[in-house]
Amino acid sequence: MTKPIVTCRGVSKTFGSGELVVHALRDVDLNIMQGDFATLAGPSGSGKTTLLNMIGALDKPSSGEVEIDGQPLSGLNKAELSELRLQKIGFVFQAYNLIPVLSAQENIEFVLQLQGVDAAERRKRALEVLAEVGLEGTGHRRPSALSGGQQQRVAVARALVSKPSIVLADEPTANLDSGTSAELVELMSQLNRDLGITFVIGTHDPSVIERSSRHIELLDGRISSDTRI
Amino acid sequence: MSNLKTFTPLAWRNLWRNPRRTVITLIVVSVGLWSILFFNSFINAWGESGKEAVLKLLIGQGQIHAVGYMDDPSIDRLMSPPGEPLVSALNAPEIEAWATRLQLPGVVVSEYKTLPVNVVGVDPEAERLLSSIPDKVVEGRYLKGVEDDGVVLGLHIAERLKTGLGRRVILMSQSTDGSLSEQSFDVVGLFDADKATEDFYAFTGRRAAQNFVGLNDEIAQIVFTIPEVDMLDPIIADLAATAPDLDVRSWKQISLFLATTDTFMQSFIYIWLGVVFSLMAIGIVNTQLMAVFERTHEFGQLRALGMKPRQVLVLVALESTFLIGFGVLIGIVLAAGTIWTLTDGVDLSAFAEGLEMAQAGQILYPEYDIPGFVVLSLIIWVLGILVALWPARRASKLSPVEAMRHAT
Ligand SMILES: Nc1ncnc2c1ncn2[C@@H]1O[C@H](COP(=O)(O)OP(=O)(O)OP(=O)(O)O)[C@@H](O)[C@H]1O
Ligand SMILES: [Mg+2]
């Protein structure tokens, strides 16, 4: 917990205009520190996904500034934001994370291909992360031949393989049964402890929140509490 | 470049995600191209057979006249029969056959009517080797020799003159001394060609025609045919060099109409291509837009993973490139197959009446036109990719956040 990986300063986000304007985020200040295993909770519509999108350079704030590894996002164009995501951020979404026509291993390697990593190195790293998420021997399978839990593990593996500064997960366990959810959370928490990977997880799931080392509550687009456990 | 390596396998597999749509696009492209290619070779065959038929009638592939005759085909602009070295040049193996003709503007007179006609004095033996007129005699006979002083008329002019086989007509033309010669001829044969030819020419023996206007052995033209059409230009050049004081021309310089029709047929193909392609474009754009729309969520994720908008464009464009390229290949195979089954000729004699108007032969022989195949296929492929860029641009412009809010 030395330096902030992501800094949000006075971040607000509104959608629409006039009568229909929605304040998804209001003046949010937040630092995500190296090694955080943070959960982001709050009622539906409180702004969890919107905040994760800001942190992940997927969207720009209406006002305020977001910095990733000290780099302000405001001056970057679409291609530069893509490059930044490619190098620094891993994503795990709720479902349908994987490219259906590629095998698990190819899905993982795809990100490395975008990064320009050569074939031998790609293969080596893909097999490594597959082992780390407990999926040795299933790399050749297409997503449709994997269970929901396995698919999320592959997604985690893909998020890790590019050696990002931070992994963002939006409701990663929402489509999993409780047993599988618990396993996935255990995996992420272990990766956080053993490899020092920083996670921010948007979730309602108490079993996830239970495991976190930092818990942030959102209400109506504002941070209502931010506690370290 | 590394983009291509990364996206090619992905694009290829994406093609088969929605087999139904892929097949529809393949059908649209391949049937469209098939129709273009087949039409191309059919039109070519049509033009070719029409041209062949017309050339075979009287024109030949080339003719030689005295200088000035083509502008003013009068009795003052005749030439002597060919001597050496022209005869040797004409007897060369690359010339199939040649004949000399005397041709005189004149009129033909029956008891009922006087009509303008070209009196053609021919050498029947030579004529049989290069003209189809002798075979088109349907009543009576063709001429027997250069001395034959019978006349062979077209069916149509005979009907208009109310004359017929065994009757006599009077031919009139300007003679060498400027006076009007007239002489009666027996109608010995009637030929059946198109109406224009039937009305335009009356045939008699060359010697008989010369006697009729008081000529010794002067002729109006030498006509020749060649077996190798590609050799025409060098042969013309050769003959022109051999006979520098004569006017040597290819059929293209004689029948401007035919030469223009040739060009017209070519542009017709491109009109057809335009029509077919417009329909194809609608099909391609529709299916590809649908494909992009269905995968909105996925494109959002690809963008989130770090793919740049341009890379998404490349990915989708590659998919179209494969898809349309595949359709083009199928179209080529279909067209080649169709033409192959028709190389023995398409018999159009059932429509012969109509074809006489279009001046086409009765049997068409579609042929492989390899450069045409390549050019037309490439045009369709490239245009197809260009229209498919529109859906690809749509995909690349999706914002990742919006795209992922889109239900999968
Ligand atoms: N693109 C958008 N256009 C319009 N409104 C939006 C858009 N994205 C989010 N919102 C609105 O912003 C608010 C915050 O949405 P957000 O998705 O961040 O909530 P959330 O906390 O993730 O909710 P949930 O738990 O349901 O996922 C909501 O009122 C939502 O309707
Ligand atoms: Mg959400």
Side-chain angles (χ1 to χ4, degrees):
Chain A
M1 286 190 216
T2 44
K3 58 169 180 156
I5 291 173
V6 179
T7 306
C8 299
R9 247 179 267 120
V11 167
S12 297
K13 180 71 178 178
T14 55
F15 295 103
S17 59
E19 296 268 295
L20 297 170
V21 71
V22 175
H23 295 273
L25 291 176
R26 302 170 199 251
D27 198 20
V28 170
D29 289 308
L30 180 68
N31 282 327
I32 304 293
M33 307 305 283
Q34 168 88 57
D36 271 356
F37 189 76
T39 46
L40 198 56
S44 182
S46 58
K48 301 182 293 294
T49 298
T50 307
L51 184 54
L52 281 171
N53 288 344
M54 296 298 145
I55 298 174
L58 283 173
D59 206 354
K60 287 187 172 182
S62 309
S63 66
E65 179 65 273
V66 177
E67 284 178 14
I68 296 176
D69 274 343
Q71 157 92 274
L73 301 189
S74 50
L76 303 183
N77 65 24
K78 282 185 186 175
E80 288 163 338
L81 287 173
S82 303
E83 187 63 27
L84 184 115
R85 289 196 295 272
L86 178 62
Q87 303 299 345
K88 307 220 156 174
I89 298 165
F91 287 97
V92 178
F93 302 103
Q94 182 175 334
Y96 305 108
N97 267 294
L98 304 176
I99 302 168
V101 295
L102 299 182
S103 70
Q105 188 178 333
E106 287 168 333
N107 261 284
I108 294 168
E109 287 193 28
F110 185 71
V111 181
L112 295 178
Q113 266 184 303
L114 291 179
Q115 286 187 333
V117 177
D118 70 63
E121 170 79 4
R122 281 203 307 265
R123 192 181 136 77
K124 184 173 142 270
R125 276 164 66 179
L127 292 175
E128 263 169 34
V129 288
L130 272 170
E132 266 159 21
V133 301
L135 286 176
E136 302 99 322
T138 47
H140 61 280
R141 291 206 213 157
R142 293 266 178 110
S144 57
L146 295 170
S147 72
Q150 286 172 322
Q151 288 181 31
Q152 290 305 74
R153 280 164 182 267
V154 175
V156 171
R158 181 181 62 184
L160 290 182
V161 79
S162 58
K163 303 214 162 92
S165 308
I166 187 168
V167 174
L168 305 175
D170 196 1
E171 319 234 14
T173 61
N175 283 18
L176 304 179
D177 61 56
S178 55
T180 319
S181 295
E183 281 169 29
L184 188 72
V185 181
E186 176 53 36
L187 170 69
M188 293 194 287
S189 128
Q190 195 187 325
L191 290 166
N192 171 253
R193 262 181 283 124
D194 299 352
L195 304 175
I197 291 162
T198 310
F199 279 90
V200 180
I201 306 168
T203 188
H204 299 281
D205 188 340
S207 71
V208 183
I209 297 169
E210 214 166 72
R211 287 288 195 159
S212 63
S213 64
R214 181 179 178 185
H215 183 62
I216 302 160
E217 279 279 337
L218 279 177
L219 189 62
D220 256 348
R222 286 198 179 87
I223 293 177
S224 60
S225 74
D226 182 351
T227 45
R228 288 182 186 282
I229 302 149
Chain B
M1 235 23 234
S2 69
N3 272 350
L4 286 186
K5 235 175 123 185
T6 308
F7 301 141
T8 298
L10 184 55
W12 176 253
R13 292 189 207 171
N14 277 335
L15 277 191
W16 308 105
R17 284 170 69 170
N18 190 328
R20 218 183 102 222
R21 191 166 40 230
T22 299
V23 166
I24 289 174
T25 312
L26 285 178
I27 291 176
V28 167
V29 173
S30 58
V31 170
L33 181 64
W34 169 79
S35 84
I36 291 168
L37 292 180
F38 178 67
F39 212 64
N40 178 47
S41 86
F42 195 79
I43 286 268
N44 281 347
W46 180 287
E48 208 48 45
S49 87
K51 194 176 79 190
E52 292 286 291
V54 174
L55 296 183
K56 187 77 187 147
L57 212 52
L58 278 169
I59 297 171
Q61 259 95 40
Q63 299 181 359
I64 304 173
H65 302 94
V67 174
Y69 177 86
M70 289 300 280
D71 297 327
D72 173 22
S74 76
I75 198 163
D76 308 324
R77 303 199 189 267
L78 300 179
M79 58 185 180
S80 312
E84 288 302 334
L86 187 52
V87 169
S88 301
L90 287 167
N91 285 333
E94 61 268 21
I95 290 181
E96 187 176 47
W98 62 278
T100 57
R101 291 178 188 149
L102 177 61
Q103 190 162 324
L104 304 162
V107 294
V108 54
V109 183
S110 72
E111 300 91 318
Y112 297 96
K113 231 183 196 136
T114 302
L115 291 170
V117 77
N118 267 278
V119 181
V120 186
V122 295
D123 175 351
E125 299 303 314
E127 210 69 22
R128 281 185 191 281
L129 298 177
L130 54 66
S131 163
S132 58
I133 297 278
D135 297 330
K136 292 185 182 289
V137 172
V138 289
E139 282 181 50
R141 60 170 175 83
Y142 190 61
L143 301 160
K144 282 181 174 152
V146 289
E147 310 278 354
D148 193 335
D149 61 359
V151 68
V152 174
L153 294 177
L155 278 177
H156 191 243
I157 200 170
E159 196 179 303
R160 288 165 73 205
L161 291 166
K162 296 194 183 158
T163 185
L165 204 61
R167 309 268 291 274
R168 292 175 81 85
V169 291
I170 294 167
L171 296 181
M172 293 191 213
S173 183
Q174 192 191 357
S175 65
T176 43
D177 58 15
S179 67
L180 201 62
S181 307
E182 55 171 277
Q183 187 182 319
S184 79
F185 287 77
D186 286 330
V187 179
V188 296
L190 297 174
F191 70 91
D192 178 15
D194 60 291
K195 286 196 172 71
T197 308
E198 287 174 19
D199 278 350
F200 207 64
Y201 299 103
F203 298 94
T204 185
R206 192 192 66 228
R207 191 65 250 160
Q210 285 162 336
N211 292 338
F212 162 47
V213 289
L215 287 167
N216 293 320
D217 54 1
E218 290 89 341
I219 55 167
Q221 66 179 220
I222 301 166
V223 57
F224 60 89
T225 55
I226 60 171
E228 280 295 324
V229 198
D230 299 339
M231 294 292 295
L232 184 56
D233 290 337
I235 291 174
I236 294 288
D238 248 27
L239 289 172
T242 314
D245 47 356
L246 294 177
D247 180 9
V248 183
R249 295 190 184 198
S250 80
W251 64 268
K252 288 175 198 167
Q253 297 155 299
I254 294 164
S255 180
L256 276 178
F257 175 75
L258 270 187
T260 326
T261 321
D262 233 28
T263 326
F264 173 75
M265 293 284 198
Q266 292 304 317
S267 32
F268 196 73
I269 276 298
Y270 287 92
I271 294 170
W272 180 247
L273 185 140
V275 171
V276 170
F277 182 75
S278 309
L279 296 174
M280 273 166 69
I282 294 169
I284 292 171
V285 168
N286 266 315
T287 50
Q288 294 305 94
L289 273 181
M290 220 151 56
V292 164
F293 184 74
E294 267 175 26
R295 285 158 60 200
T296 298
H297 184 84
E298 183 181 323
F299 289 125
Q301 285 191 336
L302 291 173
R303 294 277 285 104
L305 287 182
M307 258 174 89
K308 298 179 180 67
R310 244 202 51 206
Q311 293 176 312
V312 173
L313 183 94
V314 169
L315 174 64
V316 181
L318 264 181
E319 291 176 20
S320 312
T321 304
F322 286 143
L323 185 56
I324 297 165
F326 221 59
V328 164
L329 283 184
I330 297 174
I332 290 176
V333 170
L334 284 180
T338 314
I339 294 167
W340 183 74
T341 61
L342 295 177
T343 38
D344 286 345
V346 188
D347 191 347
L348 293 180
S349 41
F351 313 99
E353 288 279 323
L355 289 177
E356 192 173 290
M357 299 273 295
Q359 299 202 313
Q362 297 197 347
I363 297 182
L364 300 187
Y365 298 94
E367 275 179 34
Y368 295 106
D369 164 19
I370 307 282
F373 261 52
V374 172
V375 169
L376 294 170
S377 303
L378 275 180
I379 290 178
I380 289 298
W381 195 33
V382 170
L383 287 179
I385 293 167
L386 284 181
V387 298
L389 279 182
W390 177 27
R393 253 182 84 79
R394 284 280 285 269
S396 76
K397 281 196 174 306
L398 291 168
S399 114
V401 173
E402 289 299 323
M404 281 189 299
R405 278 168 63 87
H406 195 277
T408 42

